[in-house]
Amino acid sequence: MFRTTCLSNIKRFPLKRWASTQARPALIAGKTRTWEVIVGLEVHAQINSRSKLFSVTPTSFNEPVNTKYSAFDAAFPGTLPRVNEECILLAVKTILALSGRVQKQSSFERKHYFYPDIPAGYQITQHSNPIGLGGYIELGELDGLPYPLKIGLEQLQLEQDTGKSIHDIQPGASLIDLNRAGTGLMEIVTLPDMRTSLEAGLMVRKLQALLRAVGSSDGNMEEGSMRCDVNVSIHEPGTPFGTRCELKNLGSVKVLMSAIDVEVQRQIEILESGGTVYQETRGYDAVQNQTFKLRSKETAPDYRYMPEPDLPVLQVTDQYIEQAKQQMPELPDVRRSRLIDTYNLSLENCNTLMAEPGIAEYFEQISKKHDPHKTLSWVTSELFGRLSFKGISFSQNPVTQEQLGSIIGGIEEGIISGKIGKSILNLMMDGDSRNALDIAKAKGWQQIEDENALEKLCSELIQKNPEEIQKVKQGNKRVFGWFVGQIMKETKGKANPALVNSILKKHLDY
C-alpha cells in the first residue's frame, strides 16, 4: 500500500464520425499567410471519492451552501491535512489506464495566490513532483477521427479544489460557498500535440470515457466535476511556436471547440495586421462567440511554490501498484472491440451503449438470456426513449435488468405481444416492480393462443371484406397488413401476431 515518510522535498472528447480517407489538417490559411495551430490541454477532474482530499468531509453536489466543509477546508488555524487513501488509489488507477508511470515518491507543495474562495491563501498541489508522469491517449477512426493520433501526456498531479464564488445573488458583493473547497482533483496535463479543435474535443471525450470506466471521476462537465483549460498558439511553419494564450474553465466539449476556433482566428487577425499576441489568460463568451482577457498569464515564480510542511513525501510501493492493476476494469477501447465482435454490433450502437456508465453492463446481462439485437432495440429505443421523455439519466433508471429481460422473454415465448410489452414497460417506468408476466396476468394481457378462436375471427373478417381479398390476391402487401391490424385491434393487441399471420395466409392463399 502507499505510505508517507518524512523526507526532504524531492525536486524533479456524440461527435460526427468522419470518413477514414481524410488526412490530418496541418495548416490554416489566413488572408496573407499560412498558419499551424498548437493546442494543449489541462484537464481538472474531480476525484470520485467519498470524502475530500485532506479531510473526512463528505463530497457532494448541489447541497445547501456552506454545509459540507470542515475546519481544515476553511483554513482554521492549527488544523492539519491528512491524505485520503481512496484518492491515491483512484489516481494510481487513472495513471495506469493512461499508460503513464506511477512515481513511487511524490510530494505536495503550496501554490500561493490570494482570492476569497481559497481561505488559506494557497492551494496544496503537486506541480513539481507529481504522482504520475507520461502516458498517452490514442485517437482514431473508432473515436470519430479520420486518422490515427497519439496525444502525449506530461503529468497527472493531485491537488485540492477551491471554493465557489457567487457573483449574481447580492448586488455589489461576491458570496463564497466552501462546499467544494478541499475536494480532490486530478490535473491531467497534455503535451501540445493537438492541431485542431476537433482533435481537442475528441481527446476530452475519450478521457471522459476512460475516467468513467476506471471509476476515478464521473467526468460531468455540466456539474463542474470536469473542467478544461486550453493553451492555444499559432505560428508559421518552420518557425518557433508562437505565444500561447490560456482559455480558462471551458464547461463542455462544444464550448471548448468553439473557443479554440475563435481564439485561433483572433490570433491570426492580430499577427496578420502587424500586432503582437501577448501571453494572457482569457475567458470565452458563448453568446458573443468571442474570447476576452481575464488577466496577464501568471508564471511559476508568481505562485511562490514551496514544499508543503505538513505533508511528508508520498510513497507508493510496487505491491500497491500491482494491486491497483489487478483491480483495473475493462477499458473503453477493449470493451468497444469486444462488443462489436461478440454481439455483431455497429460502432454507433457500441458508442450508444458506452455513453453512460452501467449501460453496457445492463445490456450484456440481459443478452446472456435473450437475443442481443432484440435487447439492443428495447434498451436503446424503448427504454432510452422513455428515460429521455421523463428527463432522467440512465443512473436513475427504475427498470431492472430482470424486468426488461422478462418483457423480451415474454415476447420471444409468445406470451405477450410487442405492443403489450411496451405498455408493461410504461408501468415499470412508473414504479411497478413486478416482472412482465405477473403484470400481464394481473391485467389480462396475455396473448391469445387459441387457434380456433382466432380462426373464427379471421373468417368473419374475410367474409366482410371481399374487395380487400382481391387486392391481397393481386399481391398488395399493405392490404394484407391491414387484415392483420384489424385482428390485433379486435383482440386489443392480445392475439399472437405470428399465429394470426399464419391463419390469414392460409385463408387468403397469400
Side-chain angles (χ1 to χ4, degrees), residues 104-176:
K104 294 178 183 178
Q105 290 187 330
S106 61
S107 55
F108 293 96
E109 55 199 332
R110 294 181 179 182
K111 175 183 178 181
H112 292 84
Y113 62 94
F114 297 95
Y115 203 74
D117 61 15
I118 184 163
Y122 60 84
Q123 177 188 36
I124 301 177
T125 183
Q126 288 190 313
H127 173 74
S128 302
N129 188 32
I131 191 171
L133 291 174
Y136 58 86
I137 286 182
E138 291 184 307
L139 299 176
E141 186 179 0
L142 293 181
D143 305 297
L145 196 67
Y147 45 83
L149 177 63
K150 189 173 183 177
I151 300 170
L153 304 177
E154 181 177 340
Q155 65 185 49
L156 182 151
Q157 65 191 53
L158 291 166
E159 61 186 26
Q160 60 179 167
D161 204 353
T162 64
K164 180 180 180 182
S165 297
I166 304 169
H167 307 290
D168 55 359
I169 293 181
Q170 185 174 322
S174 292
L175 307 181
I176 305 299

Side-chain angles (χ1 to χ4, degrees), residues 37 102 104 106 139 150 193 204 214 268 275-276 278 317 385 500:
V37 178
V102 179
K104 294 178 183 178
S106 61
L139 299 176
K150 189 173 183 177
D193 289 343
V204 172
V214 172
I268 288 175
T276 301
Y278 294 101
T317 65
V500 171

